[in-house]
């Protein structure tokens, strides 16, 4: 409030002392008096011309009918008006604060107490140790070794915080934040490492919280560094490479064991977020696997050390956003900016090559490929059907009450408005017609045959930015558009064609299919461990798993693409066609088909495993670990006092959701899934799951 007090002093106090100077002549006398104060000889010599000039100006002003004085008076009036305006704003602010603190809550409601304060009054206190696992891009990274252009940045944040280096030395920053295109590890002469501790991911940028609100609430019921830990890791790397380079998995194993022992042999509650969910899924298999590939904890390690895994915003089965990012370095927001101001991203005159730089960097991060849709057409749909068939985007935000598993409420909502079925299974379509027409009316050649031979350009030095597109011929680019639509299965062939080097690295680290026989020894390889459809949960029947995610927000599900208007080699040859829209209530807006989700992860990916894949004893959950679906219906903030929302369901903002925080605190305090209410479902995830024909 210091600045408010300063403005009040400026506007009301200081002007009062100057009211005696009401005329230009009086003001001049005061200024003359100041000039008559004795000063050193050198200063007097410098002031002499100023005095002469002042007298001359005053005389001319008087001869001219007071014109100069009028100018001063006008300037003073302008200043007075500004001060009065600022004074009114300050007074209004004080009045608002006074009313906010004096009026009854019904008139001007107060922000409720934090969940921890209420729960502490109910007797909820710290019990189980808690481990937090951040997701992609939210963890801070710092420089340990760099090139000459990064001089003076030792152990300075390159990722997270204020991002000042991005603006000061952008090309140098891009070089250091990228990984090696061949190995997926550090480029020669560069070492960027994750920042340890809770500060690694409490805030992504100043004022933009990620884990900070949850950490603060945990602290209010008794948590501190001895029983709460942030498992920071380099989210750019493939999961196994975090162990090979940094021993991140080994350090996480040791930390959980230490917290278990030092907290009275109490099991640990693990809280991963976003990509951290599948990172920890990888860990569950790694920790039980014998060395050298695994951690050597044995088959009973998880049952002994882990009480519950509370997955927030889980991307278990991938996200379509990863497809558009790898294919054209864009999503709905980038497509919108490009449509509104194409010069910012595509100007060849400025030579920014913004998206090309984004693509070069992101394609060096193997972790993005971990988010590629898993399960193929069985999960995500084929050319003519998908589990979300019948979804009505117009009704997404109106589902405010939990739906029963019998589906009656869903059927009632759907009966209100019959819409044309969206073919979500076509994750990429070239042209609006290709996204709508029945597959029988589309001439679609075999993707493996069409995309077999990749023709190279005559010159490999066409672009200063390496994206692999600069190595493709125009004939090869045309081949891509000949296949009018791609499903999650044929997208693998597409990426192998347009980015063979990236896919060679990625396919050595990750798999995106469905296991036929989990007893097959090939599934002992680490590339299958982060895919819940190709690995089994540990033998830990007393452990609990939660899928906690927001719903009720339009979320990217599939895309309508077009060729870029320029065929110059410096440009990315494909882009989302932001000019394509559906009708008023359509799921198609700006070249993107939307479904239900948390704005980043569709409900299908976040909820299927807890709703069906792990429900009861299945081949993916042989010990029958209890799985709970906890959905949080999105409600935007009602006033600025709520910040980003106390009931938000957005992918990151949900970390400040009061209901979610309360669930985490109760489980950490010793409650079970049944005691916090069991399943809480608002979306159509049950009906979607029933449409998926998967052997369990």
């Amino acid at each position: 409030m210091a600045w408010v007090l300063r403005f009040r002093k400026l506007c009301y106090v200081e002007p009062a002392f100057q009211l005696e100077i009401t005329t230009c002549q009086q003001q001049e006398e005061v200024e003359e008096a100041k000039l008559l104060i004795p000063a050193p000889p050198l200063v007097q010599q410098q002031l002499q011309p100023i005095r002469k000039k002042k007298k001359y100006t005053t005389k001319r002003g008087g001869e001219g009918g007071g014109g100069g004085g009028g100018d001063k008076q006008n300037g003073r009036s302008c200043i007075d008006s500004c001060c009065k305006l600022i004074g009114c704003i300050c007074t209004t602010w004080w009045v608002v604060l006074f009313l906010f603190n004096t009026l009854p809550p019904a008139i001007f409601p107060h922000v409720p107490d934090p969940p921890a304060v209420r729960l502490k009054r109910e007797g909820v206190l710290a019990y189980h140790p808690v481990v937090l696992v951040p997701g992609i891009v939210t963890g801070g990274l710092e420089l340990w070794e760099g090139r000459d252009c990064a001089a003076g940045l030792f152990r300075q944040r390159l990722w997270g915080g204020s991002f000042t280096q991005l603006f000061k030395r952008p090309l140098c920053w891009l070089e250091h934040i990228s990984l090696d295109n061949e190995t997926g590890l550090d480029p020669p002469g560069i070492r960027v490492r994750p920042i340890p501790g809770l500060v690694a991911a409490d805030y992504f940028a100043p004022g933009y919280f990620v884990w900070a609100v949850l950490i603060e609430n945990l602290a209010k019921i008794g948590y501190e560094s001895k029983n709460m830990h942030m498992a920071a890791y380099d989210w750019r790397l493939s999961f196994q490479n975090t162990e090979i380079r940094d021993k991140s998995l080994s350090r996480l194993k040791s930390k959980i064991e230490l917290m278990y022992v030092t907290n009275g042999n109490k099991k640990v509650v693990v809280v991963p977020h976003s990509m951290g969910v599948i990172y920890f899924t990888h860990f569950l298999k790694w920790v039980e696997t014998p060395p050298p590939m695994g951690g050597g904890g044995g088959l009973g390690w998880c049952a002994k050390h882990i009480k519950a895994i509370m997955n927030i915003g889980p991307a278990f089965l991938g996200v379509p956003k990863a497809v558009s990012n790898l294919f054209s370095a864009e999503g709905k927001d980038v497509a919108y900016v490009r449509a509104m101001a194409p010069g910012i991203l595509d100007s060849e005159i400025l030579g920014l090559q913004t998206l090309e730089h984004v693509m070069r960097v992101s394609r060096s991060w193997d972790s993005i490929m971990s988010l590629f849709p898993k399960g193929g057409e069985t999960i995500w749909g084929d050319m003519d059907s998908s589990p979300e068939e019948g979804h009505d985007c117009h009704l997404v935000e109106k589902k405010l009450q939990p739906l029963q598993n019998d589906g009656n409420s869903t059927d009632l909502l759907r009966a209100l408005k019959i819409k044309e079925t969206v073919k979500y299974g076509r994750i990429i379509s070239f042209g609006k017609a290709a996204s709508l027409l029945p597959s029988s009316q589309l001439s679609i050649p075999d993707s493996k045959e069409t995309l077999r031979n990749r023709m190279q350009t005559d010159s490999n030095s066409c672009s200063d930015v390496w994206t692999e597109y600069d190595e493709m011929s125009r004939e090869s680019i045309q081949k891509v558009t000949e296949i009018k639509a791609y499903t999650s299965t044929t997208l693998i062939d597409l990426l192998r064609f347009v980015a063979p080097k990236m896919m060679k690295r990625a396919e050595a680290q990750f798999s995106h299919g469905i296991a036929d026989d989990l007893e097959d020894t090939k599934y002992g390889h680490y590339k299958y461990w982060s895919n819940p459809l190709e690995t089994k949960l540990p033998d830990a029947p007393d452990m609990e798993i939660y899928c906690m995610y927001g719903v009720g927000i339009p979320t990217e599900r599939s895309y309508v693409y077009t060729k870029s208007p320029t065929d110059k080699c410096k440009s990315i040859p494909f882009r989302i066609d932001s000019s394509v829209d559906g009708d008023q209530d359509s799921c198609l807006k700006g070249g993107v088909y939307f479904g239900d989700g948390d704005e980043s992860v569709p409900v299908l990916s976040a909820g299927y495993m807890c709703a069906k894949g792990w429900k009861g004893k299945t081949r993916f959950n042989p010990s029958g670990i209890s799985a709970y679906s906890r959905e949080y219906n999105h409600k935007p903030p009602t006033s600025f006092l709520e910040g980003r929302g106390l009931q938000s369901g957005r992918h990151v903002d949900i970390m400040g959701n009061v209901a979610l925080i309360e669930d985490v605190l109760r489980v950490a305090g010793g409650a079970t899934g049944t005691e916090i209410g069991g399943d809480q479902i608002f979306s159509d995830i049950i009906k979607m799951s029933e449409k998926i024909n998967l052997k369990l």
Side-chain angles (χ1 to χ4, degrees):
M1 300 303 295
W3 65 272
V4 177
L5 297 174
R6 173 59 188 153
F7 274 129
R8 293 181 71 249
K9 181 175 182 293
L10 173 68
C11 299
Y12 294 115
V13 180
E14 291 182 356
F17 289 102
Q18 298 183 15
L19 290 177
E20 298 178 1
I21 306 176
T22 56
T23 65
C24 297
Q25 183 62 33
Q26 289 174 328
Q27 184 174 358
E28 290 168 6
E29 290 175 357
V30 172
E31 292 175 354
E32 285 290 341
K34 293 179 181 178
L35 293 175
L36 291 175
I37 296 174
L42 180 61
V43 176
Q44 290 183 5
Q45 292 178 6
Q46 295 176 346
L47 289 177
Q48 191 64 28
I50 299 176
R51 291 173 178 170
K52 291 181 179 180
K53 183 177 180 181
K54 180 68 180 176
K55 292 179 180 179
Y56 176 74
T57 305
T58 304
K59 182 177 180 180
R60 290 198 51 164
E63 291 175 355
D71 292 341
K72 294 178 182 178
Q73 188 67 34
N74 291 337
R76 204 162 48 248
S77 299
C78 180
I79 295 174
D80 290 344
S81 299
C82 292
C83 290
K84 289 177 182 178
L85 176 61
I86 296 173
C88 291
I89 294 174
C90 295
T91 303
T92 303
W93 177 250
W94 279 105
V95 171
V96 169
L97 288 178
F98 173 77
L99 294 175
F100 175 72
N101 286 280
T102 57
L103 291 179
I107 300 175
F108 208 123
H110 288 263
V111 176
D113 290 334
V117 175
R118 291 184 284 106
L119 293 179
K120 190 173 182 179
R121 287 197 293 261
E122 298 175 13
V124 177
L125 298 173
Y127 186 76
H128 293 283
V130 172
V131 171
L132 312 175
V133 185
I136 193 169
V137 309
T138 55
L141 301 173
E142 62 185 13
L143 182 68
W144 280 78
E145 180 184 3
R147 305 281 167 78
D148 292 340
C149 65
L153 297 181
F154 176 69
R155 295 208 63 199
Q156 298 295 310
R157 278 194 181 229
L158 291 187
W159 187 273
S162 60
F163 288 91
T164 54
Q165 301 307 320
L166 171 61
F167 303 101
K168 290 182 178 179
R169 43 189 117 184
L171 294 181
C172 181
W173 181 85
L174 288 169
E175 181 181 11
H176 285 75
I177 211 69
S178 301
L179 294 172
D180 188 90
N181 289 315
E182 299 294 334
T183 65
L185 296 169
D186 294 316
I190 293 177
R191 281 188 296 152
V192 175
R193 296 293 180 264
I195 295 173
L198 296 175
V199 297
D202 53 352
Y203 287 90
F204 176 65
Y208 190 87
F209 73 84
V210 182
W211 291 91
V213 176
L214 180 57
I215 291 171
E216 182 179 358
N217 276 272
L218 286 166
K220 289 180 185 298
I221 65 170
Y223 282 93
E224 51 187 297
S225 58
K226 69 180 180 182
N227 55 3
M228 178 168 55
H229 171 68
M230 179 75 73
Y233 62 98
D234 192 336
W235 45 263
R236 302 171 301 160
L237 302 174
S238 69
F239 303 154
Q240 194 68 9
N241 275 343
T242 65
E243 171 65 14
I244 292 172
R245 195 194 73 177
D246 299 336
K247 301 300 179 184
S248 295
L249 299 175
S250 293
R251 288 188 286 110
L252 176 55
K253 174 177 177 285
S254 299
K255 188 65 179 180
I256 291 176
E257 292 171 344
L258 177 64
M259 294 176 77
Y260 171 80
V261 171
T262 57
N263 287 277
N265 292 338
K266 296 184 181 72
K267 295 182 182 181
V268 173
V269 172
V270 183
V271 188
H273 174 244
S274 188
M275 191 190 76
V277 169
I278 52 178
Y279 179 76
F280 196 76
T281 302
H282 179 98
F283 172 84
L284 291 177
K285 191 68 176 178
W286 173 87
V287 75
E288 293 185 337
T289 302
M293 189 177 294
L299 296 180
W301 191 93
C302 294
K304 178 181 178 180
H305 294 93
I306 300 177
K307 190 264 183 185
I309 307 172
M310 308 193 76
N311 302 292
I312 302 176
F316 281 122
L317 303 181
V319 291
K321 265 187 174 182
V323 175
S324 62
N325 182 282
L326 294 170
F327 188 57
S328 61
E330 59 183 338
K332 65 179 179 67
D333 298 326
V334 174
Y336 177 79
V337 171
R338 173 183 253 161
M340 297 300 295
I344 295 177
L345 300 177
D346 302 320
S347 174
E348 294 183 6
I349 298 176
L350 296 176
L352 297 179
Q353 294 183 270
T354 307
L355 294 182
E356 285 79 5
H357 282 294
V358 171
M359 176 172 285
R360 176 178 68 84
V361 173
S362 61
R363 282 190 176 182
S364 73
W365 297 345
D366 288 343
S367 60
I368 293 183
M369 199 59 194
S370 74
L371 296 171
F372 191 87
K374 303 178 180 72
E377 295 179 2
T378 301
I379 299 294
W380 295 94
D382 54 25
M383 292 292 290
D384 293 308
S385 64
S386 68
E388 299 101 322
E389 188 173 345
H391 169 71
D392 192 339
C393 292
H394 182 61
L395 298 174
V396 166
E397 298 182 358
K398 296 185 179 180
K399 299 179 184 178
L400 302 180
Q401 300 298 324
L403 302 180
Q404 301 300 320
N405 290 357
D406 59 8
N408 293 334
S409 301
T410 307
D411 293 337
L412 177 62
L413 284 170
R414 192 169 289 123
L416 297 176
K417 190 178 179 76
I418 299 175
K419 296 179 67 64
E420 183 180 18
T421 300
V422 178
K423 296 174 176 56
Y424 285 116
R426 306 176 189 182
I427 296 181
I428 285 182
S429 302
F430 280 94
K432 183 178 180 180
S435 71
L436 295 173
L437 291 174
S439 60
S440 59
Q441 299 181 25
L442 292 175
S443 176
I444 302 178
D446 180 75
S447 62
K448 291 187 182 296
E449 185 64 30
T450 304
L451 303 178
R452 178 176 304 224
N453 296 317
R454 187 175 190 265
M455 301 176 66
Q456 305 293 316
T457 58
D458 294 333
S459 173
N460 290 329
S461 60
C462 173
S463 174
D464 294 332
V465 184
W466 180 85
T467 64
E468 292 197 72
Y469 278 129
D470 56 354
E471 299 175 359
M472 289 181 65
S473 67
R474 295 180 181 179
E475 291 78 9
S476 295
I477 293 172
Q478 184 61 36
K479 278 187 177 183
V480 172
T481 61
E482 290 176 2
I483 302 175
K484 294 299 183 183
Y486 293 85
T487 65
S488 57
T489 299
T490 55
L491 278 172
I492 296 289
D493 297 325
L494 174 61
L495 289 180
R496 287 171 181 159
F497 185 72
V498 301
K501 296 177 182 177
M502 179 196 73
M503 288 299 290
K504 182 179 179 180
R505 285 194 332 269
E507 290 188 289
Q509 301 290 337
F510 302 105
S511 179
H512 303 87
I514 300 176
D516 295 324
D517 180 10
L518 286 168
E519 302 303 322
D520 192 326
T521 55
K522 77 173 185 178
Y523 294 109
H525 192 274
Y526 60 77
K527 77 174 188 177
Y528 299 102
W529 295 349
S530 62
N531 183 356
L533 300 175
E534 294 182 303
T535 190
K536 293 185 290 186
L537 290 178
D539 184 9
D542 295 331
M543 194 171 78
E544 297 177 330
I545 288 187
Y546 298 80
C547 297
M548 312 169 74
Y549 53 92
V551 297
I553 308 176
T555 303
E556 295 172 51
R557 180 59 172 82
S558 57
Y559 305 90
V560 177
Y561 267 83
T562 185
K563 285 183 64 178
S564 297
T566 175
D567 61 354
K568 292 186 178 181
C569 58
K570 285 189 177 182
S571 67
I572 296 173
F574 313 106
R575 63 174 57 182
I576 296 173
D577 192 350
S578 56
S579 65
V580 175
D581 288 301
D583 57 33
Q584 183 177 0
D585 299 327
S586 172
C587 297
L588 175 61
K589 296 185 184 301
V592 180
Y593 281 101
F594 292 92
D596 193 8
D598 67 0
E599 198 174 48
S600 292
V601 183
V603 166
L604 184 64
S605 176
Y608 173 76
M609 295 309 297
C610 283
K612 187 177 180 182
W614 289 330
K615 206 68 172 178
K617 286 190 176 183
T618 69
R619 67 190 182 106
F620 303 114
N621 181 17
S623 66
I625 294 172
S626 298
Y628 298 97
S629 298
R630 300 287 293 176
E631 295 185 345
Y632 305 88
N633 198 80
H634 173 70
K635 293 182 181 179
T638 56
S639 72
F640 72 94
L641 297 172
E642 291 188 13
R644 283 151 56 191
L646 300 178
Q647 300 180 72
S648 177
R650 299 186 189 279
H651 188 63
V652 176
D653 296 353
I654 197 173
M655 303 290 278
N657 185 295
V658 170
L660 180 140
I661 293 174
E662 183 172 329
D663 286 346
V664 173
L665 266 58
R666 287 188 184 277
V667 173
T672 65
T674 303
E675 290 172 342
I676 68 171
D679 291 337
Q680 175 179 274
I681 297 176
F682 296 89
S683 71
D684 291 339
I685 186 59
I686 301 299
K687 296 189 74 68
M688 292 180 193
S689 300
E690 291 172 352
K691 294 178 182 179
I692 295 175
N693 184 21
L694 178 61
K695 175 186 173 183
L696 296 176

